[in-house]
Amino acid sequence: MPALSWQKSSYCAQGNSCIHIAATPRTIHLTESGDPAESILTATPAAFDALLHVLKKDTPRG
């Protein structure tokens, strides 16, 4: 597998609590700054889209 190209979330301020994402045509990978090599969540694009849909639906607007 080629090396992943990680991008930091645009919602992240400075510090160690940032989400990083890397994508390939078949997978989406998520990790966080505090433990980038040990805890990587991998999902298909469809599963990741479903997760985002649920998170956006459940986010309070204010």
Side-chain angles (χ1 to χ4, degrees):
M1 179 167 98
L4 296 172
S5 177
W6 293 96
Q7 296 177 328
K8 183 168 71 169
S9 168
S10 61
Y11 288 95
C12 182
Q14 294 179 352
N16 286 335
S17 296
C18 298
I19 297 296
H20 296 257
I21 187 168
T24 71
R26 295 186 179 155
T27 56
I28 307 290
H29 308 274
L30 297 170
T31 190
E32 62 100 16
S33 298
D35 191 15
E38 296 297 322
S39 301
I40 298 174
L41 172 70
T42 300
T44 64
F48 185 69
D49 183 55
L51 172 65
L52 291 179
H53 178 75
V54 169
L55 292 174
K56 288 179 181 180
K57 182 177 86 171
D58 291 341
T59 301
R61 305 280 189 236

